[in-house]
Amino acid sequence: MLVLLPPSEGKAPSGRGASLKLESLSLPGLTEAREAVLSELVELCRGDEDKARDVLGLSEGLRGEVAKNVDLPTAGARPAGEIYTGVLYDALDLASLDAAAKRRATRSLLVFSGLWGAVRVNDRIPSYRCSMGVKLPGLGALGAHWRAPMADALPEAAGDGLVLDLRSSAYAAAWKPKGEVAGRTASVRVLHAPTRKVVSHFNKATKGRIVRSLLTAGAVPAGPAELVEALRDLGYEVEVAAPAKGGKAWTLDVLVTEIH
């Protein structure tokens, strides 16, 4: 099972240990594309600060994020699972998982990123600010920049198992499963059961709890249909309509009565 996660806007501080080593990150087929984004991002942030804030979509209160990006090549790195914070990652709470569940997380979780493309939770990275929606002056839209290298790297990472896609739309634009891989891909919507409306903030928390539940239970569903069964066994209320034809991703609706 491969679980695709969005990053978080907020991030923990960089570590104090060794600095970033791009060649050590998972999915080595993305290294050249990572080098290109990192180089341009650092160059942008070393220049006009106001321009950098505008390109990165940062408010005045986040001006310090520009300086953080300047130091990316030398900043200390720590596991990505410790860097990413926020609602989904608070609910997932990787640090409190037992040893077996942590090993499953290392094997199965893949966090998408405007800067790194995608990383596993044990990949060591510094704290940064660069969303997938950014358009860098030289490279252009990052979603488009990542499509070609992702098209090669992600099917290999997916293997022949289930792909559970929990990304937001901006990050989903960087790689869309196709063909046979799409047929064993499931995305999840979180709906408020009484109204059948999509929840927003609580969508992230529920997705974090879903991933935690699967990791803790040691569930390894072979495909979308088995995922539905696994989630129901774990106490989730799930509605699903299988695609009308093969080669199409499934959409699962997880219903919640309490929005928290």
Side-chain angles (χ1 to χ4, degrees), residues 28 49 81 131 144 187 212 227:
E49 189 175 86
S131 71
S187 61
R212 183 180 178 86
L227 173 63

Side-chain angles (χ1 to χ4, degrees), residues 202-215:
F202 307 100
N203 170 59
K204 297 177 182 179
T206 301
K207 288 179 176 178
R209 286 192 283 269
I210 285 172
V211 176
R212 183 180 178 86
S213 296
L214 292 168
L215 293 172

Side-chain angles (χ1 to χ4, degrees), residues 3-12 80-90 92 94 109-121 125-134 142 146 150 165-174 201 203-205 207-208:
V3 183
L4 310 181
L5 297 174
S8 58
E9 287 295 324
K11 297 175 183 69
E82 298 177 12
I83 289 288
Y84 295 115
T85 59
V87 176
L88 187 154
Y89 292 91
D90 286 347
L92 174 54
L94 286 167
L109 305 188
L110 199 62
V111 185
F112 273 61
S113 162
L115 175 52
W116 316 116
V119 292
R120 297 195 183 275
V121 293
I125 58 173
S127 186
Y128 67 97
R129 194 67 175 236
C130 184
S131 71
M132 191 65 79
V134 164
L142 290 179
W146 285 112
M150 289 279 193
D165 190 352
L166 302 179
R167 299 172 295 168
S168 57
S169 57
Y171 291 90
H201 173 84
N203 170 59
K204 297 177 182 179
K207 288 179 176 178

Side-chain angles (χ1 to χ4, degrees), residues 134-154:
V134 164
K135 294 182 179 180
L136 291 175
L139 293 177
L142 290 179
H145 170 76
W146 285 112
R147 280 179 202 141
M150 289 279 193
D152 292 330
L154 266 293

Side-chain angles (χ1 to χ4, degrees), residues 43-127:
E43 182 180 355
L44 169 71
C45 292
R46 279 179 178 157
D48 186 297
E49 189 175 86
D50 289 331
K51 177 183 177 181
R53 282 202 305 115
D54 183 59
V55 170
L56 297 175
L58 301 177
S59 65
E60 174 65 30
L62 294 174
R63 183 177 289 272
E65 299 292 282
V66 175
K68 178 196 290 186
N69 284 345
V70 172
D71 294 333
L72 283 172
T74 56
R78 57 196 294 194
E82 298 177 12
I83 289 288
Y84 295 115
T85 59
V87 176
L88 187 154
Y89 292 91
D90 286 347
L92 174 54
D93 196 8
L94 286 167
S96 70
L97 292 173
D98 63 31
K102 285 180 178 177
R103 287 193 295 270
R104 296 181 196 111
T106 298
R107 291 193 303 266
S108 62
L109 305 188
L110 199 62
V111 185
F112 273 61
S113 162
L115 175 52
W116 316 116
V119 292
R120 297 195 183 275
V121 293
N122 61 329
D123 283 332
R124 299 182 67 86
I125 58 173
S127 186

